Amino acid sequence: MLVLTRKPGQSIMIGDGVEVQVLSVAGEKVRLGITAPRDVSIFRDEVYNRIEDENRKDAGSDDAVAGALERLSTRS
């Protein structure tokens, strides 16, 4: 993990197209501004984890459906 110290108004660049700027610091809260190309998805960690969990559940459902269809097709 890279650890950087930045002050409000300062930023970091990630690759060629993503800029993360510190907007403000108040107590334990940091406000960040992120500039990125439209094709780059940006999520809070807890939202990203929820999406990943849902995708895993959906993939499991797809496997179960595919297995059931396979069993049905071999009965004929």
Side-chain angles (χ1 to χ4, degrees):
M1 174 188 302
L2 172 65
V3 178
L4 301 171
T5 302
R6 301 276 73 198
K7 296 178 182 176
Q10 294 180 328
S11 62
I12 63 168
M13 294 297 298
I14 301 172
D16 292 330
V18 179
E19 179 183 13
V20 180
Q21 183 176 15
V22 178
L23 301 177
S24 66
V25 178
E28 293 187 14
K29 291 189 177 185
V30 177
R31 290 185 66 217
L32 301 174
I34 302 169
T35 304
R38 289 193 177 273
D39 63 327
V40 174
S41 299
I42 302 170
F43 299 102
R44 294 187 328 257
D45 183 54
E46 64 275 13
V47 173
Y48 180 81
N49 290 334
R50 194 173 328 133
I51 291 168
E52 287 295 305
D53 288 345
E54 290 297 320
N55 288 341
R56 276 195 284 289
K57 287 179 189 174
D58 289 345
S61 297
D62 291 345
D63 291 343
V65 170
L69 289 173
E70 179 71 25
R71 286 190 299 279
L72 285 172
S73 67
T74 58
R75 288 182 182 177
S76 301

